[in-house]
């Protein structure tokens, strides 16, 4: 499943799942744009790791919720590698609170990054993906978008919103021969889970048939398939990567 010569932009890829996706794609020959919001050091480490594995990468700072910054990232991509073939909307945040205590600010913040960021990046890179040979959009949603989760009304709403968005963009891209799909990871061992108490994590793991959290590589392998030319007849789908949580 070579990604040779394909230019891939992965939002929020200085760490966690995004970084795992970037590394996988880079090792398969892709030109990778590592997007970061503030952790410049980690972004440069991610670039170095891809280059050490023989790939090519560039770091691009942009807060995905800021349209002008996303346009700047688009310019960085074009200057380094030309138009993007693949956009992975991975950047996401949580702001957990039981619903009755959730502030409108916590609601808006999660919508601005998780949905507003996806809107900005997809619109700015839309023509690139449309014009690409086998262009790909991959959106990173969550099992929480399907099942809901206590204290995450904002996040669950944003993550399930990605499903409708992906199906619609899949229709709008189809005439150009490009695809759009969602990946819905289960609970994955990254910094995002740091705030989850051990007792809660144990309860989560006990409900997973495969009896472990996902590793970033589990998610990255599926994204790599959806980003590759081999997935050309798969579009508008949500691929669950959750260890069997909904069995
Ligand atoms: P993480 O918190 O380790 O990484 C998220 C990355 O997004 C960070 O590098 C962060 O700086 C970046 N980011 C946040 N806001 C940004 C913004 N406005 N502009 C640009 N970058 C921004 O999280 P993780 O676990 O790697 O999550 C990645 C994606 O996977 C997220 O969309 C998350 O919702 C989703 N996910 C994570 C799961 C988990 O259990 N870790 C489970 C299911 C989905």
């Amino acid at each position: 499943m070579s990604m040779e010569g394909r230019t891939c932009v992965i939002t929020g890829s200085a760490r966690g799942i995004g970084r795992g996706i970037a590394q996988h794609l880079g090792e398969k020959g892709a030109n990778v744009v590592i997007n970061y919001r503030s952790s410049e050091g980690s972004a440069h480490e991610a670039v170095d790791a891809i280059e050490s594995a023989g790939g090519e990468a560039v770091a691009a700072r942009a807060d995905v919720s800021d349209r002008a910054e996303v346009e700047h990232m688009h310019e960085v991509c074009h200057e380094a590698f030309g138009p993007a073939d693949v956009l992975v909307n991975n950047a996401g945040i949580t702001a957990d609170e039981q619903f009755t205590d959730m502030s409108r600010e916590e609601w808006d913040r999660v919508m601005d990054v998780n949905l507003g960021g996806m809107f900005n990046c997809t619109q700015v890179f839309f023509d690139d993906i449309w014009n690409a040979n086998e262009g790909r959009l991959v959106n990173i949603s969550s099992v929480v978008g399907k099942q809901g989760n206590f204290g995450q009304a904002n996040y669950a709403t944003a993550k399930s919103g990605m499903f409708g968005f992906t199906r619609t963009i899949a229709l709008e891209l189809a005439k150009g021969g490009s695809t759009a799909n969602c990946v819905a990871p289960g609970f994955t061992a990254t910094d995002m889970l740091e705030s989850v108490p051990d007792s809660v994590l144990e309860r989560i793991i006990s409900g997973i048939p495969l009896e472990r959290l996902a590793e970033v590589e589990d998610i990255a392998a599926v994204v790599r398939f959806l980003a590759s030319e081999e997935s050309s007849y798969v579009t508008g789908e949500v691929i669950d990567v959750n260890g069997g949580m909904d069995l």
Side-chain angles (χ1 to χ4, degrees), residues 43-100:
H44 287 293
E45 269 173 36
V47 167
D48 289 347
I50 289 173
E51 288 178 345
S52 303
E56 287 201 52
V58 67
R61 206 205 77 76
D63 178 336
V64 294
S65 65
D66 183 317
R67 177 69 173 227
E69 293 189 11
V70 172
E71 281 167 5
H72 172 70
M73 171 166 71
H74 186 249
E75 281 166 24
V76 171
C77 173
H78 277 237
E79 274 165 26
F81 302 125
D85 300 287
V86 177
L87 169 66
V88 182
N89 283 310
N90 165 78
I93 59 164
T94 54
D96 298 353
E97 200 70 71
Q98 201 168 329
F99 182 63
T100 47

Side-chain angles (χ1 to χ4, degrees), residues 45-231:
E45 269 173 36
V47 167
D48 289 347
I50 289 173
E51 288 178 345
S52 303
E56 287 201 52
V58 67
R61 206 205 77 76
D63 178 336
V64 294
S65 65
D66 183 317
R67 177 69 173 227
E69 293 189 11
V70 172
E71 281 167 5
H72 172 70
M73 171 166 71
H74 186 249
E75 281 166 24
V76 171
C77 173
H78 277 237
E79 274 165 26
F81 302 125
D85 300 287
V86 177
L87 169 66
V88 182
N89 283 310
N90 165 78
I93 59 164
T94 54
D96 298 353
E97 200 70 71
Q98 201 168 329
F99 182 63
T100 47
D101 293 329
M102 186 173 284
S103 67
R104 183 57 196 261
E105 188 278 328
E106 286 164 330
W107 174 270
D108 288 343
R109 186 151 36 100
V110 168
M111 297 305 158
D112 276 356
V113 173
N114 296 18
L115 289 180
M118 179 175 67
F119 175 90
N120 286 336
C121 294
T122 305
Q123 208 165 57
V124 166
F125 283 94
F126 192 93
D127 287 350
D128 287 10
I129 293 169
W130 173 275
N131 290 319
N133 180 26
E134 303 279 351
R136 299 283 183 261
L137 174 68
V138 183
N139 294 321
I140 307 301
S141 178
S142 170
V143 66
V144 168
K146 286 192 153 178
Q147 299 189 350
N149 200 23
F150 194 93
Q152 293 195 311
N154 47 5
Y155 182 75
T157 302
K159 289 300 184 184
S160 69
M162 296 178 101
F163 302 146
F165 180 85
T166 304
R167 293 178 72 81
T168 302
I169 301 302
L171 285 169
E172 296 192 9
L173 279 174
K175 273 198 169 46
S178 295
T179 68
N181 290 286
C182 246
V183 172
F187 294 92
T188 308
T190 70
D191 294 346
M192 191 175 258
L193 292 192
E194 257 177 14
S195 60
V196 180
D198 284 350
S199 58
V200 176
L201 271 185
E202 276 163 30
R203 196 154 13 97
I204 289 171
I205 292 169
S206 70
I208 302 173
L210 285 176
E211 296 181 333
R212 65 173 177 88
L213 297 175
E215 299 295 332
V216 295
E217 291 76 16
D218 295 316
I219 315 303
V222 176
V223 174
R224 196 181 68 210
F225 168 67
L226 292 174
S228 74
E229 294 176 3
E230 276 90 331
S231 64

